[in-house]
Amino acid sequence: DIVMTQTPLSLSVTPGQPASISCKSSQSLLHSDGKTYLYWYLQKPGQSPQLLIYEVSSRFSGVPDRFSGSGSGTDFTLKISRVEAEDVGVYYCMQGIHLPPDTFGQGTKLEIK
Amino acid sequence: EVQLVESGGGLVQPGRSLRLSCTASGFTFGDYAMSWFRQAPGKGLEWVGFIRSKAYGGTTEYAASVKGRFTISRDDSKSIAYLQMNSLKTEDTAVYYCTRMVVAAPTYYFDYWGQGTLVTVSS
């Protein structure tokens, strides 16, 4: 079974400041095709999750460019260059190589100071 | 615009059944796998199961926690996915989300989610 571990579990950020979330997988997400299948989602309060980043670093349609993803193999990072009030919520990383159930990390809650 | 709308949630007694529907629009429903997730109050996301598109046999996969009790089906003519939940337990209480599942071998991901429907299992 693959385990996705996020740190920190919560963070409080002043608007305009950067934020960073780490995600580590227990197995490499690098496929033999050369691509790495790691995804990031945001669940805003009272809403359903929304896809932010696919394949480590590509932003999904409509996602602001203050969001960026990086990493390789088993270690990944989601960065927000300048946090805005609308960025609050829970961020989840997801592995897209092995079929569910072991899909999502436990989530990181972002709050505004 | 892709839209997924869940319906059918509500209060149900333990041991009873409930069927959720997910009505899709804005895309060719039959071309996609569809998945269900749930989220208990204050908890993270739990995958429930998915159904492949007919092109891939329309077969299903389930989480161990619901296997044998829940059944996912689809009606491509109506663009609806269903989650039939039998023998409900109090621990099935959650918001249930349907998602469009993109299967692009070797990867998969969930690009659009419905707004969710609340299922409360209580006597």
Side-chain angles (χ1 to χ4, degrees), chain A residues 23-42:
Chain A
C23 174
K24 296 182 186 296
S25 61
S26 60
Q27 300 176 31
S28 176
L29 302 184
L30 172 64
H31 192 268
S32 56
D33 66 1
K35 296 182 179 181
T36 303
Y37 295 109
L38 185 281
Y39 302 81
W40 289 98
Y41 291 80
L42 164 60

Side-chain angles (χ1 to χ4, degrees), chain A residues 39 41 43 48 95-96 98 100, chain B residues 37 39 47 97 106-108 110 114:
Chain A
Y39 302 81
Y41 291 80
Q43 186 175 27
S48 56
Q95 61 85 12
H98 303 281
Chain B
F37 280 83
Q39 187 170 39
W47 171 74
Y97 297 101
T107 191
Y108 69 92
F110 312 98

Side-chain angles (χ1 to χ4, degrees), chain A residues 26-101:
Chain A
S26 60
Q27 300 176 31
S28 176
L29 302 184
L30 172 64
H31 192 268
S32 56
D33 66 1
K35 296 182 179 181
T36 303
Y37 295 109
L38 185 281
Y39 302 81
W40 289 98
Y41 291 80
L42 164 60
Q43 186 175 27
K44 297 182 179 182
Q47 297 185 19
S48 56
Q50 57 189 89
L51 177 62
L52 291 178
I53 302 285
Y54 62 95
E55 294 177 16
V56 180
S57 59
S58 296
R59 283 186 297 277
F60 191 56
S61 175
V63 175
D65 60 7
R66 64 179 180 274
F67 290 93
S68 64
S70 62
S72 62
T74 60
D75 293 340
F76 306 94
T77 302
L78 176 69
K79 293 183 178 179
I80 310 173
S81 59
R82 296 173 302 279
V83 170
E84 297 186 5
E86 65 181 23
D87 300 334
V88 299
V90 180
Y91 290 80
Y92 295 94
C93 62
M94 191 203 91
Q95 61 85 12
I97 279 190
H98 303 281
L99 286 178

Side-chain angles (χ1 to χ4, degrees), chain B:
Chain B
E1 179 191 8
V2 173
Q3 287 195 318
L4 301 170
V5 179
E6 301 95 336
S7 59
L11 175 63
V12 61
Q13 293 179 329
R16 303 298 292 265
S17 299
L18 202 62
R19 188 178 80 162
L20 306 183
S21 299
C22 171
T23 303
S25 61
F27 64 101
T28 304
F29 181 78
D31 288 348
Y32 288 86
M34 298 298 293
S35 188
W36 288 89
F37 280 83
R38 66 184 181 183
Q39 187 170 39
K43 301 297 185 181
L45 298 167
E46 180 186 12
W47 171 74
V48 172
F50 73 87
I51 184 167
R52 296 176 176 86
S53 66
K54 290 290 195 307
Y56 290 90
T59 53
T60 52
E61 305 288 344
Y62 299 98
S65 58
V66 306
K67 197 169 186 178
R69 299 189 299 124
F70 289 13
T71 302
I72 298 173
S73 60
R74 62 190 299 154
D75 185 337
D76 290 353
S77 68
K78 296 181 179 178
S79 297
I80 299 178
Y82 299 100
L83 177 63
Q84 177 68 43
M85 304 184 292
N86 298 333
S87 304
L88 282 162
K89 306 175 181 179
T90 55
E91 53 263 41
D92 294 321
T93 293
V95 174
Y96 285 73
Y97 297 101
C98 77
T99 76
R100 188 173 82 166
M101 184 176 181
V102 176
V103 179
T107 191
Y108 69 92
Y109 58 97
F110 312 98
D111 60 350
Y112 290 95
W113 298 61
Q115 85 289 351
T117 187
L118 176 62
V119 172
T120 303
V121 184
S122 174
S123 54

